[in-house]
PDB file of all heavy atoms in Angstrom:
ATOM      1  N   GLU A 170       5.983  -3.258   6.830  1.00 90.00           N
ATOM      2  CA  GLU A 170       5.241  -4.281   7.540  1.00 90.00           C
ATOM      3  C   GLU A 170       5.000  -3.864   9.033  1.00 90.00           C
ATOM      4  O   GLU A 170       4.079  -4.289   9.646  1.00 90.00           O
ATOM      5  CB  GLU A 170       5.957  -5.628   7.500  1.00 90.00           C
ATOM      6  CG  GLU A 170       5.146  -6.592   6.644  1.00 90.00           C
ATOM      7  CD  GLU A 170       5.758  -7.987   6.481  1.00 90.00           C
ATOM      8  OE1 GLU A 170       6.596  -8.365   7.317  1.00 90.00           O
ATOM      9  OE2 GLU A 170       5.348  -8.672   5.604  1.00 90.00           O
ATOM     10  N   LEU A 171       5.946  -2.977   9.511  1.00 93.00           N
ATOM     11  CA  LEU A 171       5.784  -2.537  10.868  1.00 93.00           C
ATOM     12  C   LEU A 171       4.526  -1.633  10.991  1.00 93.00           C
ATOM     13  O   LEU A 171       3.740  -1.744  11.924  1.00 93.00           O
ATOM     14  CB  LEU A 171       7.009  -1.767  11.331  1.00 93.00           C
ATOM     15  CG  LEU A 171       8.288  -2.583  11.561  1.00 93.00           C
ATOM     16  CD1 LEU A 171       9.394  -1.677  12.015  1.00 93.00           C
ATOM     17  CD2 LEU A 171       7.969  -3.667  12.627  1.00 93.00           C
ATOM     18  N   ARG A 173       1.925  -1.866   9.063  1.00 92.00           N
ATOM     19  CA  ARG A 173       0.803  -2.709   8.884  1.00 92.00           C
ATOM     20  C   ARG A 173       0.490  -3.437  10.184  1.00 92.00           C
ATOM     21  O   ARG A 173      -0.654  -3.583  10.581  1.00 92.00           O
ATOM     22  CB  ARG A 173       1.044  -3.672   7.746  1.00 92.00           C
ATOM     23  CG  ARG A 173       1.296  -2.980   6.423  1.00 92.00           C
ATOM     24  CD  ARG A 173       1.655  -3.893   5.339  1.00 92.00           C
ATOM     25  NE  ARG A 173       1.051  -3.494   4.113  1.00 92.00           N
ATOM     26  CZ  ARG A 173       0.441  -4.258   3.238  1.00 92.00           C
ATOM     27  NH1 ARG A 173       0.345  -5.529   3.441  1.00 92.00           N
ATOM     28  NH2 ARG A 173      -0.127  -3.748   2.104  1.00 92.00           N
ATOM     29  N   ALA A 174       1.522  -3.925  10.886  1.00 93.00           N
ATOM     30  CA  ALA A 174       1.360  -4.603  12.155  1.00 93.00           C
ATOM     31  C   ALA A 174       0.670  -3.637  13.076  1.00 93.00           C
ATOM     32  O   ALA A 174      -0.171  -4.026  13.879  1.00 93.00           O
ATOM     33  CB  ALA A 174       2.709  -5.060  12.677  1.00 93.00           C
ATOM     34  N   ALA A 175       1.095  -2.402  13.094  1.00 94.00           N
ATOM     35  CA  ALA A 175       0.519  -1.389  14.020  1.00 94.00           C
ATOM     36  C   ALA A 175      -0.973  -1.179  13.680  1.00 94.00           C
ATOM     37  O   ALA A 175      -1.799  -1.055  14.608  1.00 94.00           O
ATOM     38  CB  ALA A 175       1.265  -0.036  13.996  1.00 94.00           C
ATOM     39  N   ILE A 177      -2.976  -3.324  12.371  1.00 92.00           N
ATOM     40  CA  ILE A 177      -3.639  -4.541  12.813  1.00 92.00           C
ATOM     41  C   ILE A 177      -3.801  -4.542  14.329  1.00 92.00           C
ATOM     42  O   ILE A 177      -4.794  -4.834  14.878  1.00 92.00           O
ATOM     43  CB  ILE A 177      -2.842  -5.771  12.430  1.00 92.00           C
ATOM     44  CG1 ILE A 177      -2.846  -5.918  10.912  1.00 92.00           C
ATOM     45  CG2 ILE A 177      -3.394  -7.078  13.073  1.00 92.00           C
ATOM     46  CD1 ILE A 177      -3.978  -6.564  10.317  1.00 92.00           C
ATOM     47  N   ASP A 178      -2.791  -4.044  15.036  1.00 92.00           N
ATOM     48  CA  ASP A 178      -2.802  -3.928  16.455  1.00 92.00           C
ATOM     49  C   ASP A 178      -3.767  -2.848  16.966  1.00 92.00           C
ATOM     50  O   ASP A 178      -3.897  -2.730  18.176  1.00 92.00           O
ATOM     51  CB  ASP A 178      -1.394  -3.697  17.046  1.00 92.00           C
ATOM     52  CG  ASP A 178      -0.558  -4.991  17.011  1.00 92.00           C
ATOM     53  OD1 ASP A 178      -1.195  -6.036  16.821  1.00 92.00           O
ATOM     54  OD2 ASP A 178       0.659  -4.906  17.172  1.00 92.00           O
ATOM     55  N   GLY A 179      -4.273  -2.054  15.969  1.00 90.00           N
ATOM     56  CA  GLY A 179      -5.331  -1.095  16.440  1.00 90.00           C
ATOM     57  C   GLY A 179      -4.955   0.358  16.322  1.00 90.00           C
ATOM     58  O   GLY A 179      -5.640   1.146  16.869  1.00 90.00           O
ATOM     59  N   SER A 181      -4.323   4.105  14.652  1.00 86.00           N
ATOM     60  CA  SER A 181      -4.733   4.940  13.515  1.00 86.00           C
ATOM     61  C   SER A 181      -3.457   5.330  12.844  1.00 86.00           C
ATOM     62  O   SER A 181      -2.350   5.212  13.421  1.00 86.00           O
ATOM     63  CB  SER A 181      -5.462   6.171  14.062  1.00 86.00           C
ATOM     64  OG  SER A 181      -4.578   6.975  14.817  1.00 86.00           O
ATOM     65  N   ARG A 184      -1.408   7.681  15.037  1.00 90.00           N
ATOM     66  CA  ARG A 184      -0.807   6.929  16.192  1.00 90.00           C
ATOM     67  C   ARG A 184       0.353   6.108  15.723  1.00 90.00           C
ATOM     68  O   ARG A 184       1.336   6.006  16.393  1.00 90.00           O
ATOM     69  CB  ARG A 184      -1.923   6.086  16.790  1.00 90.00           C
ATOM     70  CG  ARG A 184      -1.377   5.408  18.069  1.00 90.00           C
ATOM     71  CD  ARG A 184      -2.418   5.439  19.141  1.00 90.00           C
ATOM     72  NE  ARG A 184      -1.807   5.041  20.420  1.00 90.00           N
ATOM     73  CZ  ARG A 184      -2.501   4.731  21.445  1.00 90.00           C
ATOM     74  NH1 ARG A 184      -3.809   4.840  21.461  1.00 90.00           N
ATOM     75  NH2 ARG A 184      -1.929   4.364  22.530  1.00 90.00           N
ATOM     76  N   THR A 188       3.881   6.514  17.410  1.00 93.00           N
ATOM     77  CA  THR A 188       4.426   5.475  18.297  1.00 93.00           C
ATOM     78  C   THR A 188       5.387   4.537  17.591  1.00 93.00           C
ATOM     79  O   THR A 188       6.205   3.916  18.205  1.00 93.00           O
ATOM     80  CB  THR A 188       3.331   4.645  18.948  1.00 93.00           C
ATOM     81  OG1 THR A 188       2.519   4.051  17.883  1.00 93.00           O
ATOM     82  CG2 THR A 188       2.429   5.425  19.858  1.00 93.00           C
ATOM     83  N   PRO A 192       9.793   6.976  16.646  1.00 93.00           N
ATOM     84  CA  PRO A 192      10.905   6.398  17.401  1.00 93.00           C
ATOM     85  C   PRO A 192      11.959   5.738  16.550  1.00 93.00           C
ATOM     86  O   PRO A 192      13.172   5.858  16.765  1.00 93.00           O
ATOM     87  CB  PRO A 192      10.293   5.375  18.336  1.00 93.00           C
ATOM     88  CG  PRO A 192       8.817   5.708  18.379  1.00 93.00           C
ATOM     89  CD  PRO A 192       8.475   6.383  17.051  1.00 93.00           C
TER      90      PRO A 192
ATOM     91  N   ASN C  51      -4.457  -9.943   2.975  1.00 93.00           N
ATOM     92  CA  ASN C  51      -4.434  -8.539   3.280  1.00 93.00           C
ATOM     93  C   ASN C  51      -5.782  -7.869   3.188  1.00 93.00           C
ATOM     94  O   ASN C  51      -6.204  -6.954   3.905  1.00 93.00           O
ATOM     95  CB  ASN C  51      -3.448  -7.850   2.384  1.00 93.00           C
ATOM     96  CG  ASN C  51      -1.987  -8.092   2.782  1.00 93.00           C
ATOM     97  OD1 ASN C  51      -1.761  -8.469   3.935  1.00 93.00           O
ATOM     98  ND2 ASN C  51      -1.111  -7.995   1.906  1.00 93.00           N
ATOM     99  N   ARG C  83      -8.127  -1.497  12.282  1.00 87.00           N
ATOM    100  CA  ARG C  83      -8.324  -1.434  13.716  1.00 87.00           C
ATOM    101  C   ARG C  83      -9.697  -1.619  14.204  1.00 87.00           C
ATOM    102  O   ARG C  83      -9.987  -1.841  15.357  1.00 87.00           O
ATOM    103  CB  ARG C  83      -7.726  -0.133  14.238  1.00 87.00           C
ATOM    104  CG  ARG C  83      -8.452   1.078  13.785  1.00 87.00           C
ATOM    105  CD  ARG C  83      -7.732   2.330  14.513  1.00 87.00           C
ATOM    106  NE  ARG C  83      -8.461   3.567  14.196  1.00 87.00           N
ATOM    107  CZ  ARG C  83      -8.439   4.237  13.168  1.00 87.00           C
ATOM    108  NH1 ARG C  83      -7.704   3.874  12.159  1.00 87.00           N
ATOM    109  NH2 ARG C  83      -9.074   5.350  13.056  1.00 87.00           N
ATOM    110  N   ILE C  87      -8.948  -8.194  14.196  1.00 92.00           N
ATOM    111  CA  ILE C  87      -8.277  -9.306  13.595  1.00 92.00           C
ATOM    112  C   ILE C  87      -6.818  -9.341  13.983  1.00 92.00           C
ATOM    113  O   ILE C  87      -6.223  -8.196  14.056  1.00 92.00           O
ATOM    114  CB  ILE C  87      -8.435  -9.289  12.045  1.00 92.00           C
ATOM    115  CG1 ILE C  87      -9.866  -9.646  11.652  1.00 92.00           C
ATOM    116  CG2 ILE C  87      -7.459 -10.142  11.368  1.00 92.00           C
ATOM    117  CD1 ILE C  87     -10.190  -9.473  10.194  1.00 92.00           C
ATOM    118  N   PHE C  91       3.016 -11.678  10.556  1.00 92.00           N
ATOM    119  CA  PHE C  91       3.664 -11.422   9.269  1.00 92.00           C
ATOM    120  C   PHE C  91       4.846 -12.229   9.020  1.00 92.00           C
ATOM    121  O   PHE C  91       5.442 -12.774   9.964  1.00 92.00           O
ATOM    122  CB  PHE C  91       4.077  -9.963   9.234  1.00 92.00           C
ATOM    123  CG  PHE C  91       2.950  -8.935   9.262  1.00 92.00           C
ATOM    124  CD1 PHE C  91       2.401  -8.531  10.446  1.00 92.00           C
ATOM    125  CD2 PHE C  91       2.445  -8.455   8.057  1.00 92.00           C
ATOM    126  CE1 PHE C  91       1.387  -7.603  10.480  1.00 92.00           C
ATOM    127  CE2 PHE C  91       1.440  -7.541   8.061  1.00 92.00           C
ATOM    128  CZ  PHE C  91       0.871  -7.169   9.333  1.00 92.00           C
ATOM    129  N   SER C  93       7.770 -11.423   8.116  1.00 90.00           N
ATOM    130  CA  SER C  93       8.990 -10.908   8.780  1.00 90.00           C
ATOM    131  C   SER C  93       8.781 -10.761  10.280  1.00 90.00           C
ATOM    132  O   SER C  93       9.621 -10.111  10.947  1.00 90.00           O
ATOM    133  CB  SER C  93       9.337  -9.543   8.161  1.00 90.00           C
ATOM    134  OG  SER C  93       8.354  -8.648   8.441  1.00 90.00           O
ATOM    135  N   LEU C  96       8.076  -7.263  14.391  1.00 93.00           N
ATOM    136  CA  LEU C  96       8.185  -6.914  15.792  1.00 93.00           C
ATOM    137  C   LEU C  96       8.694  -5.483  15.783  1.00 93.00           C
ATOM    138  O   LEU C  96       9.565  -5.090  15.012  1.00 93.00           O
ATOM    139  CB  LEU C  96       9.110  -7.817  16.526  1.00 93.00           C
ATOM    140  CG  LEU C  96       8.660  -9.314  16.592  1.00 93.00           C
ATOM    141  CD1 LEU C  96       9.730 -10.090  17.354  1.00 93.00           C
ATOM    142  CD2 LEU C  96       7.307  -9.429  17.216  1.00 93.00           C
ATOM    143  N   TYR C  97       8.196  -4.620  16.723  1.00 94.00           N
ATOM    144  CA  TYR C  97       8.667  -3.309  16.834  1.00 94.00           C
ATOM    145  C   TYR C  97      10.043  -3.293  17.492  1.00 94.00           C
ATOM    146  O   TYR C  97      10.251  -3.666  18.657  1.00 94.00           O
ATOM    147  CB  TYR C  97       7.707  -2.427  17.699  1.00 94.00           C
ATOM    148  CG  TYR C  97       6.251  -2.628  17.236  1.00 94.00           C
ATOM    149  CD1 TYR C  97       5.274  -3.111  18.022  1.00 94.00           C
ATOM    150  CD2 TYR C  97       5.897  -2.284  15.939  1.00 94.00           C
ATOM    151  CE1 TYR C  97       3.953  -3.198  17.645  1.00 94.00           C
ATOM    152  CE2 TYR C  97       4.619  -2.470  15.445  1.00 94.00           C
ATOM    153  CZ  TYR C  97       3.671  -2.951  16.365  1.00 94.00           C
ATOM    154  OH  TYR C  97       2.375  -3.069  15.883  1.00 94.00           O
ATOM    155  N   HIS C  99      12.041  -1.074  18.608  1.00 93.00           N
ATOM    156  CA  HIS C  99      12.361  -0.190  19.718  1.00 93.00           C
ATOM    157  C   HIS C  99      11.719  -0.594  20.993  1.00 93.00           C
ATOM    158  O   HIS C  99      11.828   0.077  22.003  1.00 93.00           O
ATOM    159  CB  HIS C  99      12.047   1.263  19.300  1.00 93.00           C
ATOM    160  CG  HIS C  99      10.611   1.461  18.976  1.00 93.00           C
ATOM    161  ND1 HIS C  99      10.014   0.772  17.923  1.00 93.00           N
ATOM    162  CD2 HIS C  99       9.654   2.271  19.472  1.00 93.00           C
ATOM    163  CE1 HIS C  99       8.763   1.206  17.810  1.00 93.00           C
ATOM    164  NE2 HIS C  99       8.516   2.098  18.667  1.00 93.00           N
ATOM    165  N   ILE C 112      -3.145  -0.214  23.237  1.00 91.00           N
ATOM    166  CA  ILE C 112      -3.911   0.601  22.278  1.00 91.00           C
ATOM    167  C   ILE C 112      -5.378   0.457  22.599  1.00 91.00           C
ATOM    168  O   ILE C 112      -6.152   1.430  22.491  1.00 91.00           O
ATOM    169  CB  ILE C 112      -3.718   0.104  20.829  1.00 91.00           C
ATOM    170  CG1 ILE C 112      -2.250   0.179  20.485  1.00 91.00           C
ATOM    171  CG2 ILE C 112      -4.570   0.775  19.823  1.00 91.00           C
ATOM    172  CD1 ILE C 112      -1.757   1.596  20.264  1.00 91.00           C
ATOM    173  N   ARG C 113      -5.850  -0.672  23.112  1.00 89.00           N
ATOM    174  CA  ARG C 113      -7.218  -0.884  23.388  1.00 89.00           C
ATOM    175  C   ARG C 113      -7.604  -0.392  24.805  1.00 89.00           C
ATOM    176  O   ARG C 113      -8.663  -0.686  25.276  1.00 89.00           O
ATOM    177  CB  ARG C 113      -7.621  -2.345  23.222  1.00 89.00           C
ATOM    178  CG  ARG C 113      -7.753  -2.733  21.809  1.00 89.00           C
ATOM    179  CD  ARG C 113      -8.025  -4.167  21.516  1.00 89.00           C
ATOM    180  NE  ARG C 113      -8.240  -4.336  20.083  1.00 89.00           N
ATOM    181  CZ  ARG C 113      -7.256  -4.245  19.188  1.00 89.00           C
ATOM    182  NH1 ARG C 113      -6.038  -4.016  19.629  1.00 89.00           N
ATOM    183  NH2 ARG C 113      -7.500  -4.362  17.910  1.00 89.00           N
ATOM    184  N   ARG C 160      -4.677 -10.611  22.372  1.00 87.00           N
ATOM    185  CA  ARG C 160      -5.821  -9.773  22.257  1.00 87.00           C
ATOM    186  C   ARG C 160      -7.111 -10.578  22.104  1.00 87.00           C
ATOM    187  O   ARG C 160      -8.218  -9.992  22.019  1.00 87.00           O
ATOM    188  CB  ARG C 160      -5.793  -8.858  20.984  1.00 87.00           C
ATOM    189  CG  ARG C 160      -4.433  -8.454  20.632  1.00 87.00           C
ATOM    190  CD  ARG C 160      -4.449  -7.935  19.256  1.00 87.00           C
ATOM    191  NE  ARG C 160      -5.656  -7.746  18.512  1.00 87.00           N
ATOM    192  CZ  ARG C 160      -5.761  -7.377  17.316  1.00 87.00           C
ATOM    193  NH1 ARG C 160      -4.642  -7.143  16.615  1.00 87.00           N
ATOM    194  NH2 ARG C 160      -6.883  -7.285  16.646  1.00 87.00           N
TER     195      ARG C 160
END
Side-chain angles (χ1 to χ4, degrees):
Chain A
E170 250 181 20
L171 290 180
R173 297 176 145 223
I177 295 278
D178 284 345
S181 65
R184 183 137 192 195
T188 54
Chain C
N51 286 335
R83 64 179 189 279
I87 285 175
F91 293 85
S93 66
L96 299 180
Y97 309 121
H99 57 301
I112 299 292
R113 283 178 177 68
R160 326 165 6 185

